[in-house]
Amino acid sequence: MNNEELLKLYDKHCDSIYKVALSYTHSVDDAWDVVQATFLKLMEKSPVLSEYTERKWLVTVAVNKCKDLLKSGWRQRNVELDESVEKHIDIMNSEEKMVFSAIMQLPLKYRLVIHLHYYEGYTFKEIAEILKISPSAVSMRLHRSRELLKELFKEEGLS
Amino acid sequence: MREKYKSAMDKLLVDENMKASIGENLLKQNDTLKNKNKITKSYIKIVYGACAVAMLVVMLVSTWMSARAVQAATRIMSDAMKVTLDASEDVIDTVTEEIKVIYTSLDDIEAEYTEGPGHSSITMEYEDKKVEDYIEFVDDCVIFYYEDVRIDITGQFSHETFFRYDVNEDYRIYVGGELDDIGLMRVMFFGDKGGRGIIYINDYNYESQPWQIKVMEDIEEKE
């Protein structure tokens, strides 16, 4: 892969990969590590990707890198949302802030599905391929996360 | 909810400085990777070339020769291989002699290393001998002596990239280097039989040429 192609893909998908990693790891530093590791993998493998498959390939690698990162010994603890992420929340309006915080409070498997579906716009089938689970499991996770969110919003007084 | 989450995520700013710095680093790594692949490809081409020539020689010779002559053909084949390899060494000379050195990564190294005591100091021991018996440090060049083999090592020490050099069947060294926190170049040696060492270089020219490991055999003869 030449530098021009690499830079083009990096500029196009960096933000998206960063946000997937951030919603997974809850840490800005870890999210950047995952971005770097994902693009290094792209350089090493140089897969033949179409415009339609490149984002999905990168997101799948990023999710796997996140899993590896959280598996490592010193990260095996429940990580609270990084302080540096909290900084950005200040510019959100109150409802956005509430939705964002509620989703970030969800257990990992639920918030990842929510992020991929709501923000990245992937279908159940695509999410199933990325996470290597069945589409019905994706649907179930989404259903449960909505139930959990409903409860959280009720507590916060948001309809 | 979908819209609110989307607009919230859109407001999560991406640190542009960090993005640019990682992009720059990726480009450097991509260049390194391309060079590495190029050398590997050259090596494969040379090996395949040598085999092809050797096979061709065998085929031609065995076609024309009797059963007894096949024995002689085998000798011819080995000579042909030698000639081809000698020729290929000349060809790759300009790509440095890295063909003799196998890229390896930290993961491949099982030996542990310890921090050296300070700048310009060496802490390597092998078979109860101090490293001074093995290594000499002259200007930009690290000279490693082992038995009657002298290895001159110059050039850029790539971060976390180690080279393996097979000194002989029984002894290999791994050489690598990295910049430490305060910008000192640290060159590390690992012998796979327990020898290990670190040399700190105060004024190392980090921007110099890529790795070159020159093997100068039979020093005594040369001297």
Side-chain angles (χ1 to χ4, degrees):
Chain A
M1 174 173 286
N2 65 41
N3 284 352
E4 204 180 316
E5 286 168 340
L6 175 67
L7 212 55
K8 201 175 147 198
L9 284 173
Y10 180 72
D11 284 338
K12 195 171 165 192
H13 299 294
C14 175
D15 291 10
S16 179
I17 301 300
Y18 171 76
K19 285 175 184 175
V20 169
L22 190 66
S23 71
Y24 199 115
T25 61
H26 272 178
S27 157
V28 169
D29 291 338
D30 287 346
W32 282 121
D33 281 350
V34 168
V35 170
Q36 177 148 311
T38 303
F39 282 93
L40 281 173
K41 185 90 174 175
L42 176 75
M43 282 153 42
E44 280 167 20
K45 296 282 172 195
S46 289
V48 182
L49 299 169
S50 71
E51 204 178 324
Y52 303 101
T53 55
E54 62 194 25
R55 191 167 68 113
K56 199 166 121 196
W57 190 91
L58 287 166
V59 169
T60 307
V61 172
V63 168
N64 289 334
K65 293 288 172 193
C66 288
K67 281 180 191 165
D68 292 346
L69 189 77
L70 295 189
K71 252 189 261 169
S72 60
W74 63 277
R75 286 290 269 105
Q76 277 184 355
R77 58 197 160 88
N78 190 20
V79 181
E80 295 298 327
L81 204 55
D82 202 313
E83 278 180 16
S84 45
V85 181
E86 301 276 6
K87 257 193 327 198
H88 298 296
I89 297 178
D90 292 341
I91 56 171
M92 298 173 189
N93 68 36
S94 61
E95 284 192 341
E96 288 166 349
K97 204 183 283 185
M98 204 177 285
V99 170
F100 178 80
S101 304
I103 290 174
M104 288 299 132
Q105 278 177 49
L106 291 175
L108 178 60
K109 61 180 180 181
Y110 296 143
R111 72 169 180 266
L112 186 61
V113 171
I114 287 269
H115 181 85
L116 293 176
H117 187 56
Y118 281 3
Y119 187 68
E120 297 291 335
Y122 285 119
T123 62
F124 287 5
K125 193 170 167 257
E126 287 170 323
I127 297 173
E129 283 165 7
I130 290 169
L131 301 181
K132 295 181 183 70
I133 54 177
S134 68
S136 60
V138 175
S139 157
M140 184 58 79
R141 284 185 189 186
L142 205 60
H143 173 72
R144 285 189 182 148
S145 48
R146 281 178 185 142
E147 293 296 312
L148 282 171
L149 285 171
K150 257 186 215 168
E151 280 174 34
L152 282 168
F153 292 150
K154 213 180 275 177
E155 284 169 21
E156 302 284 341
L158 189 78
S159 57
Chain B
M1 185 169 69
R2 181 195 297 259
E3 284 69 32
K4 288 191 180 67
Y5 181 63
K6 242 181 147 180
S7 62
M9 280 310 276
D10 284 337
K11 283 182 184 171
L12 266 186
L13 299 177
V14 175
D15 182 345
E16 290 301 326
N17 287 337
M18 184 60 100
K19 186 175 168 179
S21 143
I22 288 178
E24 209 173 296
N25 190 30
L26 284 171
L27 291 181
K28 276 185 200 163
Q29 302 242 33
N30 200 29
D31 287 338
T32 312
L33 196 70
K34 277 191 283 188
N35 285 338
K36 193 174 157 183
N37 289 343
K38 211 162 121 186
I39 290 167
T40 310
K41 276 179 191 164
S42 311
Y43 178 76
I44 291 167
K45 274 183 198 167
I46 289 162
V47 171
Y48 273 120
C51 290
V53 169
M55 281 179 72
L56 195 64
V57 170
V58 170
M59 281 169 70
L60 286 172
V61 172
S62 61
T63 309
W64 291 95
M65 288 194 163
S66 65
R68 192 181 164 191
V70 170
Q71 282 184 334
T74 312
R75 282 201 302 275
I76 293 168
M77 182 192 78
S78 65
D79 288 342
M81 284 277 281
K82 195 164 176 283
V83 169
T84 312
L85 285 171
D86 287 344
S88 62
E89 276 177 10
D90 291 334
V91 174
I92 58 166
D93 193 40
T94 50
V95 198
T96 77
E97 295 197 1
E98 284 173 354
I99 199 76
K100 291 173 181 172
V101 178
I102 300 160
Y103 274 92
T104 184
S105 74
L106 266 177
D107 298 335
D108 298 324
I109 297 168
E110 286 177 9
E112 285 182 3
Y113 63 91
T114 51
E115 294 275 323
H119 305 165
S120 304
S121 62
I122 302 163
T123 58
M124 180 167 177
E125 288 179 25
Y126 179 63
E127 288 182 351
D128 300 329
K129 286 181 185 174
K130 294 288 177 196
V131 72
E132 283 84 343
D133 297 319
Y134 292 96
I135 289 177
E136 201 179 313
F137 180 55
V138 183
D139 296 327
D140 275 352
C141 184
V142 178
I143 302 170
F144 188 99
Y145 296 96
Y146 181 80
E147 292 181 357
D148 56 356
V149 178
R150 175 182 149 174
I151 305 162
D152 288 8
I153 303 159
T154 58
Q156 183 175 328
F157 293 86
S158 157
H159 179 62
E160 289 192 348
T161 302
F162 280 70
F163 293 92
R164 192 182 84 187
Y165 176 68
D166 295 346
V167 177
N168 60 29
E169 278 179 7
D170 299 322
Y171 190 62
R172 284 178 287 280
I173 57 164
Y174 298 92
V175 190
E178 60 177 14
L179 276 177
D180 71 5
D181 295 339
I182 52 169
L184 283 172
M185 175 54 67
R186 200 158 60 173
V187 184
M188 284 171 278
F189 296 84
F190 303 90
D192 64 346
K193 297 216 166 165
R196 59 178 186 255
I198 298 176
I199 301 174
Y200 285 87
I201 305 172
N202 291 314
D203 51 357
Y204 195 79
N205 179 12
Y206 187 67
E207 298 299 327
S208 61
Q209 294 304 305
W211 272 89
Q212 280 195 329
I213 296 187
K214 288 184 183 170
V215 181
M216 300 160 89
E217 294 186 25
D218 301 321
I219 313 164
E220 283 175 12
E221 266 185 40
K222 283 185 201 300
E223 280 171 357

